[in-house]
Amino acid sequence: MGKLVILVLAAALVWSGYWFWGARTTERAITEQLNTMRAAGWQIDVRSRATRGFPNRFDTTFDEVQVTTPGGLTLVAPFFQLLALSYRPNQVIAALPPQIGLESVLGTAIITNDKARASMTVQPSPRLPLDHSSLVVDGLAVESAGRTLRIGQLRFATRLPEGAPDPSHQNIGLAVENVVLPDTLMEQLGAAGLGAIEALRLDATIELDAPLDRSALETPPAPQRIELHDLSLDWGDVTVEADGAVDVNAANQPEGELLLTVNDWRDALRVAVALGLVPEAQRSAVQQGLTLLSGLSGSGELSLPLVFDAGRMSLGPIPLGPAPVITFGG
């Protein structure tokens, strides 16, 4: 019995030593990462920071956080937590506050949620390459200039695709449910017989010019190719789907083609008119053009290539204007 007691005490002493060493290592790693980000142009202000959780966790809490990205986007939060099991430090859970302030050149917004949780697992190597991650937010609301966008649930996840050579390849998934647009838009949509957006889904594989690892916060990697396996929108009687692949050129604009399918283009046109995307005065001309494109078959389904070429984009023969810029920079 005496030997057993000594063994237990020795094990407890060793584990305690490991925990305090791990806590100091965690604090040192966070300090180094924050200093590196500040040198890269991030402005990070934290009133206080502490790592607790003895004996089985490394829980780091940041109080009164204000972060400004190199691109000028500022986030303000009352707290932020990084939680990890002491025996599995490469798996981190982030505890997000119920309210975050957001400031940009477009204005100020308040982001609230009923519940938000995120997690990230990195590979156990010095550069901490991303293996997989997830974010789930319930009851999300974004309020700006007296207008509020509400989302019932948002789910986002990344993982290494099967057979990926390194973490520069990532499979990303997004699911958004029950999107309620601001009141002014909802009034217009109500007149068109539409309510909340039931679902928006995305499944894609993205190839970056550098792996997603600890250096990504200093120099965000640039996308080189996007394979869109599924992009779908369910909104009332309207369903829109897209798939295909595009490369991203030196100007961060897509080059390639996606196939866009609308189950009922007449309802889709009605939505576009209700939102002001298509002027009422042009409705008849657009409807005639879409009727011709649908093959005069009488079918409500319409499939057209969404083409990105030389910095421009077009839907079938219809020019849409400049192609979007795709970047991860803050």
Side-chain angles (χ1 to χ4, degrees):
M1 181 63 71
K3 291 182 179 180
L4 179 59
V5 171
I6 292 174
L7 182 61
V8 170
L9 290 176
L13 182 62
V14 170
W15 184 260
S16 297
Y18 163 74
W19 188 91
F20 285 105
W21 170 83
R24 288 195 298 269
T25 300
T26 298
E27 281 288 322
R28 187 162 54 247
I30 291 174
T31 297
E32 291 175 357
Q33 184 65 44
L34 292 178
N35 289 339
T36 301
M37 292 173 63
R38 289 183 175 114
W42 293 70
Q43 299 177 33
I44 305 172
D45 296 312
V46 179
R47 184 180 66 82
S48 64
R49 186 184 86 212
T51 298
R52 302 181 178 88
F54 179 84
N56 294 322
R57 304 183 65 89
F58 297 131
D59 296 347
T60 302
T61 300
F62 305 80
D63 288 317
E64 296 183 17
V65 181
Q66 180 170 315
V67 176
T68 301
T69 70
L73 184 68
T74 298
L75 294 95
V76 180
F79 71 87
F80 177 70
Q81 289 183 307
L82 294 176
L83 317 174
L85 295 171
S86 54
Y87 54 86
R88 197 175 294 166
N90 66 314
Q91 296 184 5
V92 179
I93 297 173
L96 307 177
Q99 178 172 307
I100 297 175
L102 181 66
E103 299 176 7
S104 70
V105 294
L106 300 177
T108 301
I110 301 297
I111 303 172
T112 59
N113 66 83
D114 295 335
K115 184 178 182 180
R117 56 269 194 205
S119 66
M120 177 179 65
T121 298
V122 298
Q123 298 175 358
S125 66
R127 297 196 65 81
L128 303 179
L130 178 65
D131 188 88
H132 60 274
S133 66
S134 67
L135 169 68
V136 180
V137 184
D138 295 324
L140 177 64
V142 182
E143 181 180 355
S144 179
R147 299 180 178 179
T148 302
L149 170 71
R150 301 185 186 279
I151 298 176
Q153 185 180 71
L154 181 149
R155 302 190 303 274
F156 175 79
T158 71
R159 65 176 177 85
L160 287 175
E162 185 176 352
D166 58 59
S168 66
H169 296 68
Q170 294 285 334
N171 179 250
I172 60 175
L174 174 69
V176 181
E177 299 176 356
N178 193 26
V179 181
V180 180
L181 300 175
D183 291 343
T184 52
L185 290 178
M186 289 303 296
E187 291 175 2
Q188 299 175 29
L189 295 170
L194 288 171
I197 299 173
E198 286 89 350
L200 171 66
R201 294 174 293 274
L202 168 68
D203 178 16
T205 299
I206 185 167
E207 180 181 342
L208 306 168
D209 64 354
L212 279 178
D213 56 26
R214 62 187 302 174
S215 65
L217 290 175
E218 309 159 33
T219 307
Q224 293 186 309
R225 180 175 175 80
I226 301 173
E227 296 183 10
L228 193 62
H229 310 302
D230 174 51
L231 174 63
S232 58
L233 170 71
D234 295 332
W235 193 359
D237 294 330
V238 177
T239 299
V240 181
E241 298 177 344
D243 62 76
V246 295
D247 294 311
V248 182
N249 60 26
N252 292 325
Q253 292 179 306
E255 297 277 350
E257 182 177 307
L258 303 176
L259 180 62
L260 188 68
T261 301
V262 182
N263 73 317
D264 191 332
W265 63 263
R266 293 177 178 83
D267 268 339
L269 176 60
R270 181 165 53 85
V271 173
V273 172
L275 291 175
L277 301 176
V278 175
E280 180 64 43
Q282 298 181 15
R283 179 173 186 163
S284 177
V286 172
Q287 182 168 330
Q288 291 178 11
L290 292 177
T291 299
L292 291 175
L293 291 174
S294 65
L296 299 174
S297 64
S299 171
E301 182 172 289
L302 178 64
S303 293
L304 289 173
L306 181 61
V307 180
F308 303 92
D309 182 41
R312 309 291 294 180
M313 62 180 179
S314 60
L315 182 62
I318 305 173
L320 299 179
V325 175
I326 304 174
T327 178
F328 291 157

